[in-house]
Structure formats: structure tokens, C-alpha cells
Amino acid sequence: MSLLIVDGVVKKFGGLRAVDGVSLTLDRGEVLAIVGPNGSGKTTLLNVINGVYKPEEGRVILEGRDITKLPPYLRARLGISRAFQVPRPLPDSTVLDNVATGAIFGGGYDIHSAKEAAEEALSYVGLWEKRHQLAGALAFSELRLLELARALASRPKLLLLDEVMAGLSPSEIDRFVVLIRRIAEEKNIAALSLVEHRMRAVVKMADRALVMHQGKKIMEGPPGVVLNDPKVVEIYLGRPWRF
């Protein structure tokens, strides 16, 4: 059985079907990239998966359990963690305390266990040496790593990545791609990553790519196949992807 099953999800805002009958599956250790232009429904779908929105139709199933009606904090306790596009650290707290706070509220750990989990996550993403610095002093790319460490500290089964590479340089993106692959393979965590324009990252990072347009899933499969599909090229990329 797949770790995550999204079955025919529909989310409406008034007369707009922001997510229109989308289904997907995701297994442990697998990376799925959801791509599409701004307004295609990617973030709304992510919000349905982690419980910010409840769908009008369809189901979200985690490890065989229907979690469609559960609030975000209960989904977090079941193993869903999210790294947001815009990091919102506690700037006057240390890097370690920021990540430990995420473990307490996201994973339900006590203070001692949360600090252990935070130290492990910071070491994994490469921020160990800065654990005692104030979070407000971190560079932009380091704040991205801090957000990822905070999500990892709750020791999730499913990691939702909301445009975590936006605004990074090509070399920084390469570092994130390697890190996300390591997380999936070494920790056996499923990762679902939203990507808008970084097709090179999709090809290197993802096992599968799913393309959304106007709320619908229009294509899913290996990244190299998907990014050269005529329909995807026509409505999204403008030209075939060159490897």
C-alpha cells in the first residue's frame, strides 16, 4: 500500500475549482515533483494534503487511514511535515531553539527529545556549526536550510516542500537537490515538492513529475518523458526540455 493516496480531490473557492479531481500516490523513499504555472492549483493541493483546506470531494489517505477531515496538527503527529516557501523563523532565538520548537509543536516531543531531534536535523542539513547563532543572522539560503531542518526534526514519514528552492542560485539549488535525494533515500521519507520554474532541478531530484494546469492533473510520469510531452510543452514550457 502507498504511504499517501490522494483520491479524486476537488477544492472549490466560490465557482472556481482550484483543484479539480486530482489523484496521486506516493511511496516511502520516493520524490514526486508537482510542476505547473502560478495559479495551477499546486499550493491548494498541498494545503489539502496537510489539512489547511478540506476538500469538497475526494479523500486523503495516509498509511491506509482516511485523514481527509483531520486538522493539520493531527496530521503532523501522524507524520506529515511541511517546509514553507517563505521561512518565518523566530529571529531572536537560536537556530537550535527554532528547530526544537518545530519538533515540539510538529512532532509532539518533550523539550529534551526535541533538542536531540533538532541537533540531528541541523547536522543533516549542514547547519550544525551555526546552531547557537540567532536565526535572524542567517543568510537567505541558510534560512531555507533552517526551514528544512525544522520540518525534518519531527521525523516525518511525508515531507511537503513548498517551493523551497525559489530564489536560490544554481549552485544552491544543486545543493538542495542532493539533500532532498539523500533525505528520501537514506531516511526512507516520501517527499512531495512543488516546483514552478526549476525544470533542471525536477529532472535531477524527482522520481516522477506531475503537471497541473487550471486545477487539473494533465500529465504524470518520469520527468524526462513529462517535460517533453507535446501537451506540457504547449501549455507550460513553450519548448521541449533539453537535457
Side-chain angles (χ1 to χ4, degrees):
M1 178 179 293
S2 297
L3 174 71
L4 175 71
I5 299 173
V6 176
D7 180 23
V9 163
V10 173
K11 179 59 191 174
K12 302 176 185 177
F13 297 103
L16 173 67
R17 295 170 75 95
V19 176
D20 193 358
V22 173
S23 296
L24 63 86
T25 62
L26 189 58
D27 296 327
R28 281 183 174 270
E30 187 179 24
V31 180
L32 172 65
I34 299 183
V35 303
N38 187 35
S40 61
K42 303 188 304 296
T43 299
T44 302
L45 177 61
L46 210 67
N47 284 332
V48 169
I49 292 171
N50 86 321
V52 174
Y53 298 143
K54 290 183 174 60
E56 282 76 26
E57 300 176 27
R59 299 180 300 160
V60 179
I61 299 168
L62 184 72
E63 292 188 308
R65 175 177 177 177
D66 191 333
I67 63 169
T68 310
K69 296 181 180 180
L70 293 184
Y73 79 93
L74 288 180
R75 298 190 197 202
R77 301 293 168 87
L78 292 175
I80 297 179
S81 188
R82 182 171 179 175
F84 289 88
Q85 180 179 6
V86 180
R88 293 183 176 88
L90 303 169
D92 297 325
S93 295
T94 66
V95 168
L96 179 62
D97 285 345
N98 266 265
V99 178
T101 300
I104 290 170
F105 289 99
Y109 294 113
D110 60 37
I111 292 176
H112 177 73
S113 298
K115 289 211 168 183
E116 285 186 347
E119 289 173 348
E120 177 187 324
L122 287 169
S123 178
Y124 201 84
V125 304
L127 284 180
W128 169 255
E129 294 183 354
K130 300 200 173 184
R131 65 193 183 282
H132 297 310
Q133 291 188 17
L134 295 181
L138 294 179
F140 179 76
S141 62
E142 292 171 335
L143 287 173
R144 294 287 195 192
L145 291 170
L146 175 64
E147 181 70 7
L148 184 57
R150 182 201 56 76
L152 283 176
S154 62
R155 295 176 177 144
K157 301 168 184 174
L158 171 62
L159 186 60
L160 304 178
L161 305 171
D162 187 355
E163 297 280 6
V164 294
M165 292 177 284
L168 298 179
S169 69
S171 62
E172 291 166 344
I173 290 172
D174 287 343
R175 180 182 178 186
F176 261 82
V177 166
V178 170
L179 183 55
I180 291 166
R181 286 299 326 173
R182 280 185 60 212
I183 289 168
E185 293 169 5
E186 295 179 1
K187 293 183 174 293
N188 201 30
I189 293 173
L192 191 157
S193 180
L194 302 191
V195 183
E196 188 167 338
H197 299 300
R198 308 292 186 173
M199 296 303 104
R200 179 167 168 263
V202 170
V203 171
K204 289 187 172 184
M205 175 183 68
D207 298 293
R208 289 181 291 127
L210 184 157
V211 183
M212 291 187 66
H213 180 64
Q214 296 180 344
K216 295 180 179 290
K217 179 174 79 171
I218 63 168
M219 182 74 178
E220 181 180 3
V225 174
V226 167
L227 298 181
N228 284 285
D229 181 81
K231 187 174 183 180
V232 175
V233 171
E234 178 185 356
I235 69 172
Y236 179 41
L237 295 177
R239 61 177 178 82
W241 174 255
R242 303 298 181 190
F243 295 95

